[in-house]
Amino acid sequence: MIFNKKGPLKGDINIPGDKSISHRAVMIGAIANGTTEITNFLQGADCLSTINCFRQMGIDIFNDTAAASVIVKGKGLHGLNKPKDVLDVGNSGTTMRLISGILSGQNFPVTITGDESIQKRPMDRIMTPLGKMGVDIKSIHGNDCAPFIINPTYGHSHTQATKLKGIHYNSPVASAQVKSCVLLAGLYADKATTVTEPALSRNHTELMLKEFGASLLTKGNTVTIDPAPVLTGRKINVPGDISSAAYFIAAGLIVPNSEIRIKNVGINPTRDGIIKVCKSMGAKIRLENIIDQGGEPVADLVVSHSELKGIEISGHIIPSLIDEIPIIAVIACFAKGKTVIKDATELKVKESNRIDVMVDNLSAMGADIIATDDGMIINGGKPLHGTVVDSKYDHRIAMSFAIASLMADGETKIKDAECVNISYPEFYKDLEELIQ
Ligand code: S3P
């Protein structure tokens, strides 16, 4: 797909539903009793993979794609059926890692796989804690990646899974997918399960499980869940995804004369690192109409073109902006001085190696950027020019370069640009509507 220099951006935009929350609403709805009605559900390919997996396990799910509303007929903690086939999560790491926690408590074995990218992503990070909880889980190719088999009935009767062991897991990574996997398995444990992480990752699982009736206690970076709650289906209105809003925040800040209102954006403090970082860089971002939506804070963001300066981004803020680092790297190219991004090795194990892919592509466009072991260093202010950019089929890379192209001289050609379908199918249309 070809992109050209354009702008300014003006007007209002409604952001589609949060990917993390949409996944969780289907998963927790499926193991709750009764009906869960989800509005503003993200119709991205990743969330559709979650719906398909639960349909394969006998859960009735009605998806009105045009209205972005989904109804899940939950069957309780033990109501899933053995799927006839292998569960395929496509490109979705969240589906794979979270569903594994739930499958560990069922009374049937199951094989999980996904696309080429996900078959390279590390799954030992969930296999280790699930193994400690007593789950028999094996990578089929012995490489700690998918495909893998979860056999909760291993060594026991094939009609009843034994209870998992409640553990205290000290996670070596600040990962919401790992934390959520262990907490969901904790629903099926013999006693309370605790997860401590090195820095606080997104807490949507904790907030949603509580809304459905589970008992959880969070103290700093440690959360404990009690087993065997009665989860009750409910209504969930999914906030707009701040990770999708991030591309428009960036465009509003870097394209001269822009002023936009990004409506209904989730600003959960475990996700709002992009707002904090941009403000430290000098960004003009105003939060208006702040409300609470089922425990999740939501606001409109009013963003206008700003003079930005480079900063250091490191430490505990990293998990709260981990998916936004590619677009922050683009923003840093338009800031005065040096931006240093540290403590972000997790970027290497996302849908692509996001350090290498950002550095290669931004360098090709003329940016002054180098990769480091745990991040990147950008010296802002060098003009960008169009070139061929390889998205590596990573949605967040494609969207980042669509924004960079607005400020690049000449044509930017993004390979596999359609991969935005994973998290934001209407992205290019929505962007075009804001451009004057
Ligand atoms: C997610 C957690 C993050 C994030 C991913 C979604 C989630 O991954 O990068 O896009 O919904 O829990 P990690 O837990 O691997 O950091």
Side-chain angles (χ1 to χ4, degrees), residues 74-261:
K75 289 192 177 169
L77 284 176
H78 297 281
L80 302 178
N81 298 332
K82 182 176 179 345
K84 288 195 184 69
D85 215 338
V86 168
L87 291 181
D88 188 339
V89 304
N91 191 245
S92 176
T94 308
T95 310
M96 183 165 272
R97 296 196 176 110
L98 269 61
I99 214 174
S100 296
I102 294 173
L103 294 173
S104 294
Q106 307 304 314
N107 65 355
F108 50 80
V110 58
T111 302
I112 311 183
T113 193
D115 71 5
E116 212 182 297
S117 148
I118 206 151
Q119 290 191 34
K120 294 192 195 116
R121 297 180 65 187
M123 292 299 145
D124 48 340
R125 54 181 57 197
I126 58 160
M127 290 179 183
T128 301
L130 290 176
K132 286 180 195 284
M133 294 179 85
V135 183
D136 178 54
I137 175 165
K138 275 194 189 70
S139 157
I140 288 178
H141 303 307
N143 59 355
D144 290 335
C145 295
F148 56 85
I149 304 179
I150 298 179
N151 190 355
T153 60
Y154 181 75
H156 305 286
S157 137
H158 275 249
T159 51
Q160 187 77 54
T162 47
K163 283 216 170 101
L164 305 182
K165 281 183 238 151
I167 58 168
H168 185 157
Y169 188 58
N170 278 302
S171 177
V173 277
S175 158
Q177 294 181 357
V178 172
K179 173 175 63 176
S180 303
C181 170
V182 177
L183 292 176
L184 289 166
L187 297 171
Y188 301 90
D190 56 358
K191 60 178 193 303
T193 295
T194 300
V195 183
T196 299
E197 44 183 357
L200 188 61
S201 66
R202 65 193 67 190
N203 64 356
H204 306 300
T205 304
E206 296 91 303
L207 294 177
M208 198 181 288
L209 278 170
K210 260 192 199 161
E211 291 282 319
F212 275 77
S215 147
L216 290 101
L217 187 67
T218 302
K219 274 192 193 154
N221 300 346
T222 296
V223 54
T224 299
I225 188 164
D226 289 329
V230 176
L231 300 177
T232 310
R234 51 176 294 115
K235 288 192 173 150
I236 296 171
N237 187 16
V238 180
D241 195 329
I242 191 167
S243 297
S244 299
Y247 304 99
F248 299 106
I249 296 176
L253 293 177
I254 66 175
V255 179
N257 300 317
S258 295
E259 171 146 14
I260 53 174
R261 174 180 291 269

Side-chain angles (χ1 to χ4, degrees), residues 18-21 23-24 46 93-94 97-98 121 125 173-180 201-202 204-205 243 271 319 322-323 346 349-351 354 395-396:
D18 187 277
K19 181 155 81 71
S20 294
I21 298 176
H23 280 299
R24 286 157 172 82
D46 271 9
T94 308
R97 296 196 176 110
L98 269 61
R121 297 180 65 187
R125 54 181 57 197
V173 277
S175 158
Q177 294 181 357
V178 172
K179 173 175 63 176
S180 303
S201 66
R202 65 193 67 190
H204 306 300
T205 304
S243 297
R271 292 286 298 283
I322 190 71
D323 289 343
E346 276 294 298
V349 292
K350 295 293 177 189
E351 287 84 329
R354 288 182 177 162
H395 53 133
R396 304 219 183 273

